[in-house]
Amino acid sequence: SEMYPGTDADAAAVLERYALVGAPVLLRGAAAGWNWTGWNWSALERRDDVAATPQDIPHGDSFGLAPPNATTLGAFSRDPGGMYVFDAGAAADALFAMGDVRHRVEALVRPSLKLDELLGGFPRRLHARRHGRNAQVYAGPAGAGAPWHYHEQAVNALGFGRKTWYLRPPPTATYSVEPPRHWYGEPRDAVVCEQRAGDILYVPAGWGHAVVNEEPSVGAAVEFVDAFMVHHQNVYLVPLL
């Protein structure tokens, strides 16, 4: 689905509705008014003061691929070579230090008062343990991206560039380590959507997704715990063990 929220509060309300039913949604222009100063590709090319560890795919070393070679964000941006930076460390700190992106993307996934009341304060306690406060930044040239994978629910805000997303529901979600530039054509049986600069995409927990940058792209993402899922596990499944 596509929605056009006018404010951050509107966007958060839409995200809550779609999170409750576990359905993806693209929020057109929801981050267009955020302060993305310093996030464009030409600005990254000047950041030789920031360490970066580009890889073929995000977190590739976690899947047994060769460990990344350390470089600078500036050197990577000037000659990306099809690689990708997905970072919660030095690069994230440097970009989040400018503008207002971190607090605005993290604010979108804070539990509502209604949800908190419904689950007896459980979502609030999760956030007190820093769930939903793990914002990361990503940057990659055209053709780079992420292979098929899935994880907790997440929001992805694109500051600059354009990306194509491929989505599959949980029963058909898979993992892969093949970079999108090695694909032999577009994936089949997938929901396809184009994310443009200023758009926010919500991906529910367990939904498979793969991403290809159509242009050099820079943005922020944050994963957060599915409160209903964890509540169900604790209340109904743990007593059975």
Side-chain angles (χ1 to χ4, degrees):
S1 298
E2 291 188 15
M3 302 291 287
Y4 294 81
T7 66
D8 285 6
D10 294 337
V14 172
L15 285 173
E16 182 179 348
R17 292 201 303 272
Y18 278 80
L20 289 175
V21 297
V25 63
L26 183 62
L27 307 180
R28 289 291 186 196
W34 294 6
N35 184 354
W36 294 97
T37 300
W39 289 66
N40 59 297
W41 200 263
S42 61
L44 299 190
E45 292 177 344
R46 300 190 294 272
R47 295 308 304 263
D48 287 319
D49 59 320
V50 178
T53 52
Q55 302 189 62
D56 269 346
I57 63 173
H59 310 303
D61 54 325
S62 300
F63 300 101
L65 301 183
N69 293 319
T71 183
T72 68
L73 191 57
F76 159 74
S77 302
R78 293 190 296 271
D79 185 18
M83 304 289 274
Y84 205 94
V85 167
F86 204 95
D87 186 270
D93 291 341
L95 293 184
F96 283 134
M98 301 178 289
D100 58 6
V101 176
R102 179 190 285 276
H103 89 82
R104 294 183 80 162
V105 72
E106 290 182 347
L108 288 177
V109 302
R110 290 175 189 154
S112 70
L113 294 177
K114 290 182 180 179
L115 179 60
D116 197 62
E117 181 180 356
L118 179 65
L119 296 183
F122 185 70
R124 184 177 65 254
R125 292 194 295 276
L126 282 178
H127 277 251
R129 297 176 60 184
R130 298 190 64 78
H131 289 288
R133 299 181 184 176
N134 59 346
Q136 305 173 77
V137 303
Y138 58 83
W148 285 105
H149 64 290
Y150 56 92
H151 43 63
E152 292 290 354
Q153 58 187 342
V155 292
N156 183 296
L158 185 61
F160 291 88
R162 183 168 57 90
K163 304 166 68 173
T164 298
W165 288 75
Y166 302 91
L167 305 169
R168 287 174 176 160
T172 57
T174 59
Y175 259 97
S176 172
V177 296
E178 184 177 35
R181 65 178 181 277
H182 294 165
W183 289 353
Y184 295 100
E186 292 189 353
R188 299 179 180 179
D189 303 322
V191 177
V192 182
C193 68
E194 180 185 70
Q195 184 184 26
R196 301 187 288 268
D199 292 347
I200 295 175
L201 180 68
Y202 164 69
V203 181
W207 272 70
H209 52 286
V211 190
V212 178
N213 293 347
E214 304 298 342
E215 302 172 1
S217 298
V218 189
V222 60
E223 297 177 21
F224 57 110
V225 172
D226 185 326
F228 275 108
M229 179 188 71
V230 178
H231 177 74
H232 177 84
Q233 290 174 336
N234 287 342
V235 173
Y236 297 105
L237 301 184
V238 172
L240 300 178
L241 298 178

